[in-house]
Amino acid sequence: MDFGVVLQADPPSAAVVSLMRRAERNGFRYGWTFDSTVLWQEPFVLYSRILEHTERLIVGPMVTNPSTRAPEVTASTFATLNEMYGNRTVCGIGRGDSAMRVAGRPPNTLARLGEAIGVIRDLAEGRAADVGGHRIRIPWIKDGKLPVWMAAYGPKALTMTGQLADGFILQLADPFLTEWMIKAVRKAAVDAGRDPDEITICVAAPAYVGDDIEHARDQCRWFGGMVGNHVADLVARYGEHSGMVPDELTDYIKARQGYDYSHHGRADNPDTTFVPDAIVDRFCLLGPVAAHLDKLQRLRALGVDQFALYAMHDAKESTLDAYGAEILPAFAD
C-alpha cells in the first residue's frame, strides 16, 4: 500500500513545502493539495517548488475540476511539470465543490467531467484531442505520462470512474462504504471491457495519532462537514432512502443547516456541529497506532492501493512522523 499526504495550500508556502519534504523523509510517495483558487494559494506554483525540493514524491490536486482550469491548460501545466521533473504528477479531478461554489457557480456536470478526463490525459501525454470542436495537440510533449484519478461518491459518478479513470479517489475511510463503492467502480470497469485491477484505489481521510480521542475528533470533525456537501448533493438528486446510495452515507446530514466555505477544511469549522462522533470515527483514522494499523489493514484487504492522509489539524508533524516510524513499515511490500 502506498501512502500520501493531503495539505491545504495555506501561506506561508514554505511551510507546505517543508511538510511535503517531511512526508517524503517518512516514506510517503504522494503529496496532494486542495485546488480551490479563491480559498488557497495556487497549487501548481507550489508543485514546482515541492518537486524541486524532493526526489521521489508524486504531486497532484485532490481535486481539480474542468472549469476553473480549462482542460488544455491543465494538461499543459502537468506536462510542463513532468518535463521539468520527470513524470512525477497525478491529476485528481472531480466536479468541483468549493472551487466552483465560492466562485458563484454550481459544480460541473458529470458529462463535462467525463469529457475532460480523456482530453487532459491525451493532451498531457502528447496525443491529439477534441477541444471545443477543434482537434489539437501539444507539439512539444515527449514521453509524457499523466494518470487521471476521479473523485466520486454517487452511483453515476462511480460508474464513470470505472469506465474512464485511471484511479478512484474516495474521500472517506469507512470500510463498509469503501467496499460498496469499490465494487461499483470495478463492476463498471468490467462492463466497459476494462481490467478493474488497473484502476488505482485511493482512500483519503484525516488521520490523527494520539490517545486523546475526544480531541482528535474535534480536530477532524470538519471532514464530516466537507463530505456532507457531497452527500447533500446526492440526497437532492436521488432522495432519501432511494436505494441508490447507502443510508449509512446519507442519514447523518439530516441536522445539517448550511455551510460557509470560508471555514472549508478547517478544524475550527463552526458548520460541522451536526456531525456525530460515530461518523467522525467511521470516516477518519483516530487513536493510537494500533487503531490506525487495524483500519488500514481492513482497507487494504478491500483493495485499497493508497491511503492519503489529510493533515489539517494541530498534529501534522507528529502524525507524519508516527506514520513514518510505525505504520508505513508495516505496509511495505
Side-chain angles (χ1 to χ4, degrees):
M1 180 186 280
D2 284 332
F3 287 82
V5 61
V6 190
L7 301 175
Q8 290 169 335
D10 283 322
S13 56
V16 178
V17 176
S18 177
L19 281 168
M20 291 294 191
R21 295 180 68 188
R22 191 184 197 114
E24 184 180 64
R25 291 196 301 271
N26 277 302
F28 287 76
R29 288 195 62 220
Y30 286 78
W32 303 89
T33 72
F34 281 14
D35 178 15
S36 193
T37 54
V38 174
L39 295 178
W40 296 288
Q41 292 182 313
E42 171 53 43
F44 285 91
V45 176
L46 281 170
Y47 298 154
S48 186
R49 190 72 169 168
I50 293 165
L51 290 166
E52 182 182 5
H53 288 275
T54 57
E55 296 179 359
R56 300 170 303 280
L57 204 67
I58 298 167
V59 303
M62 189 176 282
V63 293
T64 193
N65 73 86
S67 285
T68 58
R69 304 181 191 279
E72 65 271 26
V73 175
T74 299
S76 181
T77 304
F78 274 113
T80 301
L81 290 172
N82 284 337
E83 189 278 328
M84 294 171 68
Y85 300 106
N87 288 338
R88 290 169 54 199
T89 65
V90 57
C91 178
I93 194 167
R95 294 177 60 229
D97 176 36
S98 64
M100 294 294 288
R101 287 183 164 124
V102 169
R105 290 172 281 172
N108 291 271
T109 64
L110 283 176
R112 181 173 176 81
L113 174 58
E115 180 182 6
I117 288 173
V119 169
I120 291 169
R121 182 170 50 217
D122 283 344
L123 291 179
E125 295 185 348
R127 296 183 295 275
D130 290 322
V131 178
H134 299 279
R135 191 75 172 168
I136 64 172
R137 186 177 71 86
I138 303 175
W140 52 264
I141 295 176
K142 307 295 181 185
D143 302 318
K145 185 66 177 176
L146 182 67
V148 181
W149 298 3
M150 180 174 161
Y153 291 106
K156 292 182 180 179
L158 294 169
T159 296
M160 180 175 287
T161 302
Q163 293 170 337
L164 302 177
D166 300 302
F168 168 41
I169 296 173
L170 173 58
Q171 291 165 307
L172 53 80
D174 175 68
F176 173 81
L177 292 170
T178 297
E179 182 177 21
W180 186 87
M181 293 185 186
I182 288 176
K183 285 182 177 178
V185 169
R186 287 179 169 165
K187 180 181 184 303
V190 171
D191 291 345
R194 303 181 69 198
D195 181 353
D197 292 332
E198 293 185 357
I199 300 174
T200 302
I201 308 296
C202 174
V203 161
Y208 195 109
V209 178
D211 294 326
D212 189 342
I213 297 296
E214 291 301 322
H215 181 72
R217 285 174 180 151
D218 288 343
Q219 288 290 305
C220 298
R221 198 175 306 276
W222 65 267
F223 184 68
M226 186 189 82
V227 175
N229 297 329
H230 302 286
V231 174
D233 285 345
L234 294 176
V235 171
R237 187 174 299 117
Y238 299 108
E240 293 185 11
H241 309 296
S242 65
M244 299 294 290
V245 183
D247 294 344
E248 289 84 352
L249 179 62
T250 59
D251 281 350
Y252 84 97
I253 68 161
K254 290 178 180 178
R256 181 178 182 268
Q257 298 297 315
Y259 194 84
D260 181 351
Y261 279 90
S262 66
H263 304 287
H264 191 55
R266 307 292 185 190
D268 60 354
N269 190 331
D271 296 325
T272 60
T273 56
F274 73 92
V275 181
D277 289 350
I279 286 293
V280 182
D281 293 346
R282 289 180 63 176
F283 285 8
C284 306
L285 279 75
L286 312 175
V289 166
H292 292 249
L293 288 170
D294 177 69
K295 196 164 197 178
L296 288 166
Q297 287 163 353
R298 293 167 66 193
L299 291 170
R300 182 172 65 173
L302 294 174
V304 174
D305 300 299
Q306 179 186 155
F307 175 64
L309 182 164
Y310 279 99
M312 290 136 193
H313 47 59
D314 62 4
K316 298 178 181 69
E317 293 85 355
S318 61
T319 295
L320 289 175
D321 292 347
Y323 263 67
E326 302 185 70
I327 294 176
L328 269 65
F331 291 89
D333 295 327

